[in-house]
Amino acid sequence: MYTLAGLAAVFVAAGAASLRSKKIGLNFADMLIGIVILGAGLVVGGIILHAIVRAPFLWENRQVFSQAPLVFLRATFGGMVFYGGLFGALAAMPIYAKFIKRDLADIVRLAVPVFPLAHAIMRLGCFAAGCCYGIVHDTLGIAFARSASAPNGIPFLPVQLIESAMNLLIFAVIWQFTKKERRPVHILCLYGLSYAVGRFALEFLRGDEIRGMVFFLSTSQFISVLVVIVCVAALIVDRKKGGKMPPLRSSNS
């Protein structure tokens, strides 16, 4: 189910983006290239951050993997962290824009609005797999029976479903916001701020112990704080510069 949810997320997000692709002159081939390049960035970034988050735990338990290298590789690279995937996809955008010879602003306006839609679907896969589970809650909790990630038989708050709903709301807001021509920095910051604030709050409802910690914050809370700072700074700089939004391009260059 986790894999199926990931595939569904890619194709549903691509389908939503295609509804606006004609506005900037992207053809079907360009969309497929985008799926490959941005998808690769997402996977690589997600795996790298997962390995970084898991590093302290693996270092403390390194003796377990001394005789089982495949177990070590699976534990290190066998998962993804969303923020890493997001940054990986964002880093892949300039590559995608250059490859199909388009303005980066066009790619931002096309891809960023559907990121939360894809994320909402992927969180359903997390719920099915039992990973990223919530705190113990006797009233609203759901117990897993055959999960390889969450302890079975314990009622955990389905924070994955809550985050999925949050992402759908963010998608609806950004989709409506981008019906008009918007500056790329405004699109990125609207998404970054709305998700970072929501994710920071949801982390208090998480119960899994492999999220990693930075000082007194979870890894995702720490990154959320950085995202808010960067977005606010970007909006201040953009306001002071008062630059004009690049025009949408109607055909390939």
Side-chain angles (χ1 to χ4, degrees):
M1 286 300 299
Y2 187 85
T3 303
L4 289 176
L7 292 173
V10 170
F11 287 106
V12 171
S18 69
L19 298 176
R20 293 182 173 176
S21 61
K22 292 182 180 180
K23 188 175 182 180
I24 61 175
L26 283 184
N27 55 39
F28 182 71
D30 289 338
M31 290 291 296
L32 289 180
I33 293 172
I35 292 174
V36 173
I37 295 178
L38 298 185
L42 185 149
V43 171
V44 172
I47 290 176
I48 289 175
L49 187 53
H50 177 269
I52 294 173
V53 171
R54 293 281 286 169
F57 172 80
L58 296 175
W59 179 255
E60 292 177 359
N61 298 273
R62 58 190 180 278
Q63 69 281 358
V64 177
F65 308 107
S66 60
Q67 297 178 345
L70 290 180
V71 174
F72 174 79
L73 291 175
R74 181 180 297 177
T76 306
F77 303 106
M80 295 176 59
V81 174
F82 169 73
Y83 266 128
L86 174 61
F87 297 150
L90 293 175
M93 281 187 176
I95 300 174
Y96 176 38
K98 186 174 182 179
F99 191 87
I100 64 173
K101 299 179 180 179
R102 300 305 304 256
D103 285 341
L104 179 59
D106 289 347
I107 306 304
V108 171
R109 297 189 192 106
L110 184 70
V112 172
V114 301
F115 280 177
L117 176 61
H119 194 190
I121 298 174
M122 291 175 68
R123 279 304 184 202
L124 298 179
C126 292
F127 175 70
C131 61
C132 311
Y133 55 88
I135 58 176
V136 176
H137 200 290
D138 293 331
T139 304
L140 301 176
I142 297 176
F144 296 96
R146 295 183 299 275
S147 173
S149 301
N152 294 298
I154 301 174
F156 293 112
L157 186 71
V159 69
Q160 310 97 322
L161 301 183
I162 298 174
E163 186 172 347
S164 180
M166 182 189 77
N167 275 295
L168 286 177
L169 178 60
I170 294 174
F171 164 69
V173 171
I174 297 179
W175 188 260
Q176 185 66 29
F177 179 74
T178 52
K179 281 187 175 181
K180 296 181 180 180
E181 295 182 0
R182 305 288 185 177
R183 291 174 58 75
V185 66
H186 293 167
I187 299 172
L188 284 166
C189 289
L190 175 60
Y191 175 43
L193 288 171
S194 57
Y195 180 75
V197 172
R199 180 61 183 268
F200 186 93
L202 284 179
E203 283 291 299
F204 291 110
L205 302 179
R206 288 278 291 266
D208 52 323
E209 298 179 352
I210 60 173
R211 294 173 294 155
M213 299 294 293
V214 180
F215 303 114
F216 57 90
L217 299 174
S218 71
T219 302
S220 291
Q221 283 180 321
F222 181 77
I223 295 175
S224 293
V225 172
L226 295 181
V227 169
V228 169
I229 294 173
V230 170
C231 286
V232 170
L235 290 174
I236 292 174
V237 171
D238 181 72
R239 182 180 179 84
K240 288 184 176 181
K241 287 186 174 180
K244 295 182 179 180
M245 182 181 67
L248 289 173
R249 300 170 64 180
S250 58
S251 60
N252 288 328
S253 60

